[in-house]
Amino acid sequence: VTYKWLSFTLGVHVNQAKQMLYDYVERKRKENSGAQLHVTYLVAGNLLQNGHVCHKVAVVREDKLEAMKSKLSTIASVHVYSIQKALLKDSSPLYNTDYDIVKTNLQHCSKFSAIRCAAAVPRTPPDAPRAPASAQSPQRQRDPDAAGAVNGHGPPAAKAPPPQHKGIMGMFAAKAAAKHQDAHKEAKAEAKEAPGVSAASSKPPTKNNIMNNFFGKAAMNKLKVSSVPEQPKEEKEVVKPSVAVAEPESSPNTVAEKPGKKTESARIQQKDKKSKTKRADRSDDEEERDPENVKRKRKRIKQLQSDSSDEEDVPRSPTPEEERAPSPPPVPALKTELEPASTEGSAGGRKRKRKRVLKSKMFIDEEEGCMGKTG
Amino acid sequence: MFSEQAAPTAQGLLAPPSAEPPTFPRVPVSGYSDCSQPFQLGERSFSRQYAHIYAVRLAGMRPGLERRARSRWGSDIALRKLSELQAGEKCCVVGTLFKAMQLQPSILQEISEEHNLVPQPPLPKYIQPSDELILEDELQRIKLEGAIDVQRLVTGTILAVYGAEQDDGRFLVEDHCFADLPPPLPWNGPSSDRFVLLASGLGLGSVSGEALLSTQLLVDVVTGQLGAEGEQSCAAHITRVILAGNLLSQNTQSRDTINKAKYLTKKTQAASVEAVKMLDEILLQLCISVPVDVMPGEFDPTNYTLPQQPLHRCMLPLASAYATLRLVTNPYQANLDGVRFLGTSGQNISDIFKYSSMDDYLEILEWTLLAGHISPTAPDTLGCYPFYKSDPFILTECPHVYFCGNAPHFQSKLLQGKEGQRVLLVTVPDFSATQTACLVNLRDLTCQPITFSGFGADSED
């Protein structure tokens, strides 16, 4: 049993695993239960060798531990490497154990390590869905330059979700506030990948303020249905909404593909977790939609006008996308890209479109991943 | 360097489990730029002769050498071409060196079957007392003798000699000089401790597995899994890992399968396939945690001639999914956090070692820096691409860290130049043999070796 094996099997930080091993050894020895435990230690420190100071890292058996420690001029660290019942002749079983356990966990081998690298994010594949690989990125912090490409895709996708999130918050405020808060805290505390509604819902609060400028209340209640699938997608991209607006747009094609892919992958991944919340979503949605419809209609027109005026001022693709976002429901950004021109058109058409799309959105969710038609 | 900071919490992990242990964020890479464009070949055409590379080399280094000659021997000395030489006149000539060696393996000897000669076995050194030095420039050549160390110099070096032509047609050398250190680069180093790990010669795919545990320990230290908290936080300061060549071992090079009949070898794979898979896994573990630059080496699956092109991404499917993996050329030049790194996987140094009396890798490394050329023996004894426009191996700027991989031992030296250059010379040892890698501290240009070891049946560490 090596510390790495323990760490992966129990899902704990490597340092904790080392401490656990030590604790175990101490307790067993105190109990004196008769079973002989052989312990190997890792010793690291400075050693004077060939005239220069050399840093040595060695795995040693317990009986050689003191000898090694005395050889080192300064000791940098000592901890338990492994425990076994039999006396080891050489270190190859240790290596084999470690090798096996790392092999089975190759993608997250850094999950329990003490160092996190912000720059190590999987490259976005140019085509072909490598959704599982990209979705499994263990790192949550992103380095600006590494995530530069991601950021470019982030904004358009982010703009679609925010209105929906506001919908969630609006709808669930009373019921699920507590649940979200807990989940939110959980997500923060873990600092590991925590896919699911909980993590995503921690984002809406931040989005709300910024998106308020662009979308009125009307936009809020629209797409809760698709909000759920959007959450995981959005959660995967560390979105900075304020940056989103200012972000230079990336080419529509790539953007279209990627968020679409992420949505799919996210959806596929989050299927189970989503199902319950989705059902809740939908039922709520249907109840509330009719009374809201009338209100929405009115607000929609007003907003369209304001949006179009905004559009003229800042003729950039991000803004058309933003506007599109409220109207075509969650349409995975794929749709938003495909119709930059169409949605900027008639206000009336939008209303109609929206209602239509809303209904069809339901199908999308049910069918899990089949792309909708209109919009 | 680790130890001082880490010592206080050294024994920290010999305790019952504590609260949530800290995780350290890796120090982010602030300034990285790859400067090895000259070494990247686009379309390659081998239809040119190699004479052009010498011509270009001479033309490129002549101005610098002439300047050096004037500053050394007076600004009024006569700089002559070989064709303008007059007997007895003291002058200075700039040219390419050629060393005529008897033992030098020659392709012509191998082909001469009618003499029934056995092909020469590879020797560690090919020097002999009877070697001669000849100076060539664009048009002529002349034999050199005098105050010049025949054994030490190798073919392809550009140098300036000062002396006079004798009556018998030889040039009597009184003094000679090389291009010396190139002009210094401004120093923009980081203000806090940043480390770069240099390792080479991982030697995967070899039959013996002793080095595997050490390799795993290396990966663990760098990714922060090994060591107490102090050491882990120090390891978080490692900003980059550079693997300088020979990732696969020499054993993977066996080409017996070519000689065997096809039906015998149908199911067998080249040994390098397994080795590359192992490499991929190791690189994946590293890439998840730290930016890695991978240079190809002598035994790696890339082209043989210098400059070696980067390994292809498709060989490392798992690791190349991460943006932190960079596959780079050999030789490799880059700016890391304002510090210029230049290094090779060791083929140039070991080639000079074979043809020169210099025995110490560090000495050879320093000498190439002083000679102003990374690999003078290419293309004579070392494979090289037939450059014709410019010679990318000429050192035009002085790097801050100059390393070579696959050396027999670790050595390092800080060289101070006359114009204020500071160069850290590092010979990175072969990891599969010595289980040692190097940690370079970018802040003060110091280097520390780091050794890993497991325990064997009879070792008495």
Side-chain angles (χ1 to χ4, degrees), chain A residues 164-165 168 172 196-197 200 223-234 266-267 270-271 273-282 330 365:
Chain A
Q164 305 135 23
H165 286 290
I168 292 188
F172 291 157
V197 183
L223 329 153
K224 279 151 308 185
V225 180
S226 50
S227 64
V228 176
E230 289 313 307
Q231 277 172 7
K233 171 179 80 160
E234 192 245 296
R267 269 197 212 143
Q270 312 301 331
K271 240 202 259 191
K273 292 181 186 124
K274 271 191 321 191
S275 52
K276 288 205 181 133
T277 44
K278 236 196 309 174
R279 264 177 256 130
D281 270 349
R282 234 173 275 146
D365 287 339

Side-chain angles (χ1 to χ4, degrees), chain B residues 61-80 91-95 158-163 175-180 418:
Chain B
M61 293 185 69
R62 185 184 276 276
L65 268 171
E66 289 181 352
R67 255 200 320 268
R68 279 274 301 145
R70 284 193 204 285
S71 67
R72 191 165 160 147
W73 298 310
S75 46
D76 55 347
I77 56 160
L79 278 168
R80 294 254 185 273
C91 60
C92 162
V93 186
V94 174
I158 313 278
L159 79 168
V161 290
Y162 184 67
D175 197 8
H176 68 282
C177 81
F178 300 105
D180 210 7
K418 281 197 284 276

Side-chain angles (χ1 to χ4, degrees), chain B residues 81-97:
Chain B
K81 296 241 168 92
L82 282 177
S83 48
E84 305 158 357
L85 274 186
Q86 291 150 10
E89 183 202 2
K90 277 207 190 301
C91 60
C92 162
V93 186
V94 174
T96 316
L97 215 57

Side-chain angles (χ1 to χ4, degrees), chain A residues 115, chain B residues 1-3 5-6 24 195 229-238:
Chain A
I115 299 180
Chain B
M1 35 196 86
F2 272 11
S3 316
Q5 274 173 293
F24 308 98
F195 297 101
E229 285 176 15
E231 180 142 4
Q232 285 169 341
S233 75
C234 290
H237 288 287
I238 297 181

Side-chain angles (χ1 to χ4, degrees), chain B residues 292-322:
Chain B
V292 184
D293 295 337
V294 182
M295 290 166 62
E298 198 181 336
F299 305 126
D300 292 329
T302 181
N303 55 320
Y304 166 73
T305 54
L306 283 195
Q308 282 182 305
Q309 298 305 292
L311 297 170
H312 200 280
R313 218 166 40 97
C314 65
M315 284 197 288
L316 308 167
L318 298 169
S320 48
Y322 283 86

Side-chain angles (χ1 to χ4, degrees), chain A residues 3-4 8 13-16 18-20 22-23 40-42 44-46 49 52-61 64 67-69 71 74-81 88-92 94-95 98-99 102-103 106-124 130 136-139 141 143 145-146, chain B residues 1-4 6-7 9-26 28-29 212-213 216-217 220-229 231-232 235-236 278 281 284-285 287-291 313 317-325 410-411 436 447-461:
Chain A
Y3 75 94
K4 210 191 279 186
F8 275 113
H13 193 276
V14 286
N15 287 352
Q16 276 188 323
K18 296 170 200 162
Q19 287 168 330
M20 283 182 199
Y22 178 76
D23 199 34
T40 59
Y41 289 88
L42 181 96
N46 271 354
Q49 198 173 45
H52 41 235
V53 177
C54 159
H55 189 79
K56 193 161 170 69
V57 178
V59 178
V60 292
R61 279 196 290 251
K64 307 269 169 40
M68 178 57 97
K69 273 162 86 168
K71 259 183 33 176
T74 29
I75 300 178
S77 58
V78 181
H79 65 77
V80 178
Y81 192 84
L88 288 182
K89 285 266 173 356
D90 62 54
S91 37
S92 45
L94 297 178
Y95 173 72
D98 277 344
Y99 181 75
V102 168
K103 196 115 188 238
L106 216 43
Q107 291 292 343
H108 344 272
C109 46
S110 197
K111 217 152 115 179
F112 305 111
S113 159
I115 299 180
R116 288 254 180 277
C117 181
V121 293
R123 266 193 257 253
T124 54
R130 293 231 283 149
Q136 265 191 29
S137 63
Q139 311 307 331
Q141 307 123 355
D143 201 66
D145 53 329
Chain B
M1 35 196 86
F2 272 11
S3 316
E4 294 73 36
T9 55
Q11 314 262 3
L13 289 177
L14 289 175
S18 56
E20 187 71 32
T23 62
F24 308 98
R26 170 91 52 196
V29 169
L212 287 177
L213 178 68
Q216 191 62 45
L217 288 178
D220 286 344
V221 168
V222 173
T223 56
Q225 298 185 348
L226 220 53
E229 285 176 15
E231 180 142 4
Q232 285 169 341
M278 235 192 316
E281 282 159 17
L284 178 67
Q285 291 175 48
C287 286
I288 286 186
S289 175
V290 70
R313 218 166 40 97
L318 298 169
S320 48
Y322 283 86
T324 41
L325 178 76
F410 166 77
Q411 282 165 306
T436 311
C447 183
Q448 191 184 42
I450 177 166
T451 325
F452 303 90
S453 64
F455 51 87
D458 46 8
S459 73
E460 41 163 87
D461 274 321

Side-chain angles (χ1 to χ4, degrees), chain A residues 27-42:
Chain A
R27 265 190 275 141
K28 277 286 174 183
R29 296 246 168 101
K30 274 193 203 129
E31 284 171 22
N32 221 349
S33 51
Q36 261 286 38
L37 289 177
H38 291 103
V39 191
T40 59
Y41 289 88
L42 181 96

